[in-house]
CSV table of all heavy atoms in Angstrom, one decimal:
chain,number,residue,atom,x,y,z
A,7,ALA,N,-30.5,-12.6,-36.7
A,7,ALA,CA,-29.0,-12.7,-36.7
A,7,ALA,C,-28.6,-13.4,-35.4
A,7,ALA,O,-29.2,-13.1,-34.3
A,7,ALA,CB,-28.4,-11.4,-36.8
A,8,ARG,N,-27.6,-14.2,-35.5
A,8,ARG,CA,-27.0,-14.7,-34.2
A,8,ARG,C,-25.8,-13.9,-33.9
A,8,ARG,O,-25.0,-13.5,-34.7
A,8,ARG,CB,-26.5,-16.2,-34.5
A,8,ARG,CG,-26.0,-16.9,-33.3
A,8,ARG,CD,-25.8,-18.4,-33.5
A,8,ARG,NE,-25.2,-19.0,-32.4
A,8,ARG,CZ,-24.5,-20.1,-32.4
A,8,ARG,NH1,-24.5,-20.8,-33.5
A,8,ARG,NH2,-23.9,-20.6,-31.4
A,9,HIS,N,-25.6,-13.6,-32.6
A,9,HIS,CA,-24.5,-12.7,-32.1
A,9,HIS,C,-23.2,-13.3,-32.6
A,9,HIS,O,-23.1,-14.4,-32.9
A,9,HIS,CB,-24.6,-12.6,-30.6
A,9,HIS,CG,-24.5,-13.9,-29.9
A,9,HIS,ND1,-23.3,-14.6,-29.8
A,9,HIS,CD2,-25.4,-14.6,-29.2
A,9,HIS,CE1,-23.5,-15.7,-29.2
A,9,HIS,NE2,-24.8,-15.7,-28.8
A,10,GLY,N,-22.2,-12.5,-32.5
A,10,GLY,CA,-20.8,-12.9,-32.8
A,10,GLY,C,-20.2,-13.7,-31.7
A,10,GLY,O,-20.7,-13.9,-30.6
A,11,GLY,N,-19.0,-14.3,-32.1
A,11,GLY,CA,-18.3,-15.2,-31.1
A,11,GLY,C,-17.9,-14.3,-29.9
A,11,GLY,O,-17.7,-13.1,-30.0
A,12,TYR,N,-17.8,-15.0,-28.8
A,12,TYR,CA,-17.6,-14.3,-27.5
A,12,TYR,C,-16.8,-15.1,-26.5
A,12,TYR,O,-16.6,-16.3,-26.6
A,12,TYR,CB,-18.9,-13.9,-26.9
A,12,TYR,CG,-19.8,-15.1,-26.4
A,12,TYR,CD1,-19.8,-15.5,-25.1
A,12,TYR,CD2,-20.5,-15.9,-27.3
A,12,TYR,CE1,-20.5,-16.6,-24.7
A,12,TYR,CE2,-21.3,-17.0,-26.9
A,12,TYR,CZ,-21.2,-17.3,-25.6
A,12,TYR,OH,-22.0,-18.4,-25.2
A,13,THR,N,-16.3,-14.4,-25.5
A,13,THR,CA,-15.6,-14.9,-24.4
A,13,THR,C,-16.2,-14.2,-23.1
A,13,THR,O,-16.2,-13.0,-23.1
A,13,THR,CB,-14.1,-14.7,-24.5
A,13,THR,OG1,-13.6,-15.3,-25.7
A,13,THR,CG2,-13.4,-15.3,-23.3
A,14,ASN,N,-16.6,-14.9,-22.1
A,14,ASN,CA,-17.1,-14.3,-20.9
A,14,ASN,C,-18.2,-13.3,-21.2
A,14,ASN,O,-18.3,-12.3,-20.6
A,14,ASN,CB,-16.0,-13.7,-20.1
A,14,ASN,CG,-15.0,-14.7,-19.6
A,14,ASN,OD1,-15.3,-15.8,-19.3
A,14,ASN,ND2,-13.7,-14.2,-19.6
A,15,ASP,N,-19.1,-13.7,-22.1
A,15,ASP,CA,-20.3,-12.9,-22.5
A,15,ASP,C,-20.0,-11.6,-23.2
A,15,ASP,O,-20.9,-10.9,-23.5
A,15,ASP,CB,-21.2,-12.7,-21.3
A,15,ASP,CG,-22.7,-12.3,-21.8
A,15,ASP,OD1,-23.1,-12.9,-22.8
A,15,ASP,OD2,-23.3,-11.4,-21.2
A,16,HIS,N,-18.8,-11.4,-23.6
A,16,HIS,CA,-18.5,-10.2,-24.4
A,16,HIS,C,-17.9,-10.6,-25.7
A,16,HIS,O,-17.1,-11.6,-25.8
A,16,HIS,CB,-17.5,-9.3,-23.7
A,16,HIS,CG,-18.2,-8.6,-22.5
A,16,HIS,ND1,-19.0,-7.5,-22.6
A,16,HIS,CD2,-18.2,-8.9,-21.2
A,16,HIS,CE1,-19.4,-7.2,-21.4
A,16,HIS,NE2,-18.9,-8.0,-20.5
A,17,LEU,N,-18.2,-9.9,-26.8
A,17,LEU,CA,-17.6,-10.2,-28.1
A,17,LEU,C,-16.1,-10.3,-28.0
A,17,LEU,O,-15.5,-9.4,-27.4
A,17,LEU,CB,-18.0,-9.2,-29.1
A,17,LEU,CG,-19.4,-9.2,-29.7
A,17,LEU,CD1,-19.6,-8.1,-30.7
A,17,LEU,CD2,-19.9,-10.5,-30.1
A,18,ASP,N,-15.5,-11.3,-28.6
A,18,ASP,CA,-14.1,-11.3,-28.7
A,18,ASP,C,-13.7,-10.8,-30.1
A,18,ASP,O,-14.6,-10.3,-30.9
A,18,ASP,CB,-13.5,-12.7,-28.5
A,18,ASP,CG,-14.2,-13.8,-29.4
A,18,ASP,OD1,-14.6,-13.5,-30.5
A,18,ASP,OD2,-14.2,-15.0,-29.0
A,19,GLN,N,-12.4,-10.8,-30.4
A,19,GLN,CA,-12.0,-10.2,-31.7
A,19,GLN,C,-12.6,-10.9,-32.9
A,19,GLN,O,-13.0,-10.3,-33.9
A,19,GLN,CB,-10.4,-10.2,-31.8
A,19,GLN,CG,-9.8,-9.2,-30.9
A,19,GLN,CD,-10.3,-7.8,-31.1
A,19,GLN,OE1,-10.3,-7.3,-32.2
A,19,GLN,NE2,-10.7,-7.1,-30.0
A,20,ASP,N,-12.7,-12.2,-32.8
A,20,ASP,CA,-13.3,-13.0,-33.9
A,20,ASP,C,-14.8,-12.6,-34.0
A,20,ASP,O,-15.3,-12.5,-35.1
A,20,ASP,CB,-13.2,-14.5,-33.7
A,20,ASP,CG,-13.6,-15.3,-34.9
A,20,ASP,OD1,-13.2,-14.9,-36.0
A,20,ASP,OD2,-14.3,-16.3,-34.7
A,21,GLY,N,-15.5,-12.4,-32.9
A,21,GLY,CA,-16.9,-12.0,-32.9
A,21,GLY,C,-17.1,-10.7,-33.5
A,21,GLY,O,-18.0,-10.4,-34.3
A,22,ILE,N,-16.2,-9.7,-33.2
A,22,ILE,CA,-16.3,-8.4,-33.8
A,22,ILE,C,-16.1,-8.5,-35.3
A,22,ILE,O,-16.8,-7.9,-36.1
A,22,ILE,CB,-15.3,-7.4,-33.1
A,22,ILE,CG1,-15.6,-7.2,-31.7
A,22,ILE,CG2,-15.1,-6.1,-33.9
A,22,ILE,CD1,-14.5,-6.5,-30.9
A,23,ARG,N,-15.1,-9.3,-35.7
A,23,ARG,CA,-14.9,-9.5,-37.2
A,23,ARG,C,-16.1,-10.2,-37.8
A,23,ARG,O,-16.5,-9.7,-38.9
A,23,ARG,CB,-13.6,-10.4,-37.3
A,23,ARG,CG,-13.2,-10.7,-38.8
A,23,ARG,CD,-12.2,-11.7,-38.9
A,23,ARG,NE,-12.6,-13.0,-38.4
A,23,ARG,CZ,-13.4,-13.9,-39.0
A,23,ARG,NH1,-13.8,-13.6,-40.2
A,23,ARG,NH2,-13.7,-15.0,-38.5
A,24,GLN,N,-16.7,-11.2,-37.2
A,24,GLN,CA,-17.9,-11.8,-37.8
A,24,GLN,C,-19.0,-10.8,-38.0
A,24,GLN,O,-19.6,-10.9,-39.1
A,24,GLN,CB,-18.3,-12.9,-36.8
A,24,GLN,CG,-17.4,-14.1,-36.7
A,24,GLN,CD,-17.9,-15.1,-35.6
A,24,GLN,OE1,-18.5,-14.7,-34.6
A,24,GLN,NE2,-17.5,-16.4,-35.8
A,25,ILE,N,-19.3,-10.0,-37.0
A,25,ILE,CA,-20.4,-9.0,-37.1
A,25,ILE,C,-20.0,-8.0,-38.2
A,25,ILE,O,-20.9,-7.5,-38.9
A,25,ILE,CB,-20.7,-8.4,-35.8
A,25,ILE,CG1,-21.2,-9.5,-34.8
A,25,ILE,CG2,-21.8,-7.3,-35.9
A,25,ILE,CD1,-22.4,-10.3,-35.3
A,26,GLY,N,-18.8,-7.6,-38.3
A,26,GLY,CA,-18.4,-6.7,-39.3
A,26,GLY,C,-18.6,-7.3,-40.7
A,26,GLY,O,-19.1,-6.6,-41.6
A,27,ILE,N,-18.3,-8.5,-40.9
A,27,ILE,CA,-18.6,-9.2,-42.2
A,27,ILE,C,-20.1,-9.3,-42.4
A,27,ILE,O,-20.5,-9.0,-43.6
A,27,ILE,CB,-17.9,-10.6,-42.2
A,27,ILE,CG1,-16.4,-10.5,-42.2
A,27,ILE,CG2,-18.4,-11.4,-43.4
A,27,ILE,CD1,-15.6,-11.8,-42.0
Side-chain angles (χ1 to χ4, degrees):
R8 188 170 169 198
H9 59 72
Y12 65 99
T13 304
N14 298 324
D15 199 35
H16 291 279
L17 287 183
D18 55 27
Q19 289 303 311
D20 191 46
I22 293 168
R23 182 189 60 78
Q24 290 170 333
I25 298 301
I27 291 169

